[in-house]
Amino acid sequence: MATLPSIAPTATVQKITVDLIFYLVWTPAKFIFSLASGAFNASIEFTVVSSAFSDLTKGPVAVGWGISRDIVNIFLIFILLYIAIATILQLSGYGAKQLLITLVVIAFLVNFSLVITKLIIDASNILAMEFYNTLTASGSLSATFSNAFDAAKIVDVKDAIQKNEPSLYVAVIISLLFGSAILLITAFIFLVFSILFLIRMVVLLILMIFAPLAFAAMFLPSTKKHASDWWHQLFSQSFFAPAALFMLYLGAVIINSNIIKTSPLDFDCSRVE
């Protein structure tokens, strides 16, 4: 009568441990990572790559900017009337000529404030797109970071060693746990960046609406601080996108290097066939 092959109890425990970690830790971590990378891709596509941002600037933003511009122009008209009266009455002590030059400069900047603001934002978006295209040149964003710790190799070797290489169970367990931790950390970063990119778009839209007021505020001593805050927000929010994508690209280059990619699973898989 045929007898069943004996299985070492230790190998059985190790196999069950690997399977539990794989299905209860690795698989959920990879699923969360896929969702986070998809959300990050969608946020970049919506806020940087696609025409959605430009469409918003032509609609609600243009209307809001027009209202802000008209408010500033009303004040400029009153100032112009003051200059005319001061000139007629020859009130040279009020510096009517110097004020007129300032008024002309303000009027020019206010009426072109949206164009100037959009040029700065478009320049940052173009730079961000260059880093994004480079980051995803070899595939999707998730694939770029998954390859950093040989995610596919972990799964392949897991299946292979359960046949003939029980001595490598510990290596697979360590790799699964380490890979899961990296996936979850990267997923958290992607989710945070997704939210920050959406916030960036909203803030930039608001800044464009109030651009005329900010440009006019530069010439008044009591409002220069508010203008400086507006410029700080414009540049920090605009160039956050290329800075964030550059750091991700740099991280992808580092973790895909030969130094980082060495792992306990770097062995010839053909010997387990």
Side-chain angles (χ1 to χ4, degrees):
M1 190 171 84
T3 58
L4 295 173
S6 60
I7 300 176
T10 304
T12 303
V13 173
Q14 290 175 337
K15 179 181 182 303
I16 293 174
T17 303
V18 170
D19 288 337
L20 286 176
I21 295 175
F22 179 79
Y23 290 109
L24 298 181
V25 180
W26 167 268
T27 303
K30 191 173 182 181
F31 178 72
I32 294 173
F33 173 77
S34 299
L35 291 179
S37 61
F40 187 38
N41 275 324
S43 67
I44 295 176
E45 290 287 338
F46 181 68
T47 62
V48 178
V49 179
S50 70
S51 61
F53 188 83
S54 299
D55 294 339
L56 289 173
T57 60
K58 297 175 184 177
V61 172
V63 175
W65 175 84
I67 295 173
S68 299
R69 178 203 58 194
D70 293 341
I71 293 174
V72 175
N73 285 335
I74 290 174
F75 281 100
L76 294 179
I77 291 173
F78 282 111
I79 297 174
L80 185 61
L81 290 175
Y82 160 76
I83 294 175
I85 294 173
T87 302
I88 293 173
L89 298 178
Q90 296 182 349
L91 300 175
S92 58
Y94 288 92
K97 293 182 180 179
Q98 292 80 357
L99 191 58
L100 180 61
I101 297 174
T102 304
L103 183 69
V104 172
V105 174
I106 294 176
F108 175 81
L109 292 177
V110 164
N111 286 276
F112 285 92
S113 59
L114 184 61
V115 176
I116 297 172
T117 305
K118 288 178 66 176
L119 283 175
I120 297 173
I121 297 173
D122 289 343
S124 67
N125 285 340
I126 292 173
L127 186 60
M129 288 175 61
E130 289 297 321
F131 287 123
Y132 179 69
N133 292 333
T134 304
L135 188 62
T136 58
S138 58
S140 64
L141 193 63
S142 59
T144 301
F145 283 87
S146 294
N147 292 335
F149 42 89
D150 292 330
K153 188 174 183 180
I154 292 175
V155 179
D156 293 339
V157 175
K158 166 195 167 290
D159 295 334
I161 66 168
Q162 290 187 351
K163 299 177 181 178
N164 300 315
E165 289 290 337
S167 62
L168 291 173
Y169 274 120
V170 176
V172 173
I173 291 173
I174 294 174
S175 297
L176 285 173
L177 293 176
F178 179 75
S180 300
I182 296 296
L183 284 176
L184 292 175
I185 292 172
T186 309
F188 175 76
I189 295 173
F190 283 171
L191 287 175
V192 171
F193 276 172
S194 300
I195 297 172
L196 291 178
F197 268 75
L198 293 175
I199 294 175
R200 169 185 179 266
M201 184 183 73
V202 174
V203 172
L204 290 177
L205 293 175
I206 295 174
L207 290 174
M208 283 190 285
I209 291 175
F210 292 103
L213 298 173
F215 276 77
M218 291 190 300
F219 296 91
L220 299 176
S222 59
T223 58
K224 279 186 177 181
K225 181 181 181 302
H226 300 293
S228 177
D229 293 339
W230 183 90
W231 281 105
H232 173 72
Q233 287 293 326
L234 176 64
F235 278 99
S236 61
Q237 292 293 335
S238 295
F239 289 94
F240 163 76
L245 291 174
F246 170 73
M247 295 305 297
L248 284 178
Y249 169 71
L250 187 62
V253 171
I254 292 174
I255 64 179
N256 277 286
S257 63
N258 291 329
I259 297 176
I260 304 297
K261 289 182 69 174
T262 49
S263 74
L265 300 180
D266 289 333
F267 72 107
D268 186 8
C269 294
S270 61
R271 67 188 179 88
V272 299
E273 294 178 355

